[in-house]
Amino acid sequence: MTEPGLQIREEPPRQKDIIKLLSELDTYLNDLYPPDQNHLLDLTDLEGPDVIFLVARIDGQAVGIAALRRHPYFGEVKRMYVSPVARGRKVGATLLTAVETQARACGYRLLKLETGPLQKEALGLYRRRGFTPCSAFADYPEEPGNLFMEKRLV
């Protein structure tokens, strides 16, 4: 069951409440990992033609974000984040479903992501949703602070 009042839509990232969520995510990741292990898309990248940016709102309040970055042969989950005030309310799972739906609409049969080993909740979500380990992709380095996962879309 999804959270009452939860809506997920494609929106531009350059909005005050969205920039706040991006800043929260940056702070969280920068507290966990050294800067060279954070492969973040900045606001300009998120506005690019190769990105679909999604926002989760509960009763109009922005509580989560996620992006689909389009590569030639696969989609990539980027900037997945749920505000602490909305955690435990299935927002992350619903956002991930929306990213998967967008990826399928783009014709992708494969969705990939890069994350870190210290994000236990995120790793649990990805595993529950069928993501499995894979090798490094795109231009990510293969190093201990990077975990790579993929999911076949049917």
Side-chain angles (χ1 to χ4, degrees), residues 81-124:
Y81 178 72
V82 175
S83 173
V85 300
R87 291 191 186 147
R89 297 163 76 176
K90 305 288 185 202
V91 175
T94 307
L95 264 171
L96 193 53
T97 296
V99 171
E100 291 175 11
T101 299
Q102 289 288 335
R104 284 185 190 94
C106 291
Y108 292 122
R109 295 173 158 266
L110 184 63
L111 195 55
K112 295 187 176 212
L113 61 88
E114 177 273 333
T115 190
L118 302 177
Q119 295 161 261
K120 303 298 184 198
E121 294 85 2
L123 288 170

Side-chain angles (χ1 to χ4, degrees), residues 127-145:
R127 287 180 182 124
R128 284 190 304 276
R129 295 302 303 267
F131 283 83
T132 58
C134 68
S135 59
F137 60 91
D139 59 352
Y140 294 112
E142 184 94 46
E143 53 189 33

Side-chain angles (χ1 to χ4, degrees), residues 28-29 32-33 37-39 113-123 126-127 143-149:
Y28 172 71
L29 293 173
L32 289 177
Y33 306 105
Q37 290 181 6
N38 281 327
H39 308 286
L113 61 88
E114 177 273 333
T115 190
L118 302 177
Q119 295 161 261
K120 303 298 184 198
E121 294 85 2
L123 288 170
Y126 299 141
R127 287 180 182 124
E143 53 189 33
N146 294 344
L147 296 178
F148 304 96
M149 302 180 88

Side-chain angles (χ1 to χ4, degrees), residues 13-72:
R14 198 174 294 270
Q15 300 177 63
K16 189 175 183 176
D17 54 353
I18 305 308
I19 292 170
K20 180 180 180 291
L21 290 176
L22 288 166
S23 177
E24 288 176 16
L25 175 56
D26 290 350
T27 298
Y28 172 71
L29 293 173
N30 287 325
D31 286 348
L32 289 177
Y33 306 105
D36 65 328
Q37 290 181 6
N38 281 327
H39 308 286
L40 310 175
L41 294 181
D42 65 19
L43 196 55
T44 302
D45 293 330
L46 291 171
E47 294 173 315
D50 63 334
V51 174
I52 297 171
F53 190 79
L54 301 173
V55 177
R57 294 182 181 274
I58 296 177
D59 298 326
Q61 178 185 357
V63 296
I65 52 176
L68 172 68
R69 185 178 204 181
R70 294 182 291 225
H71 292 269

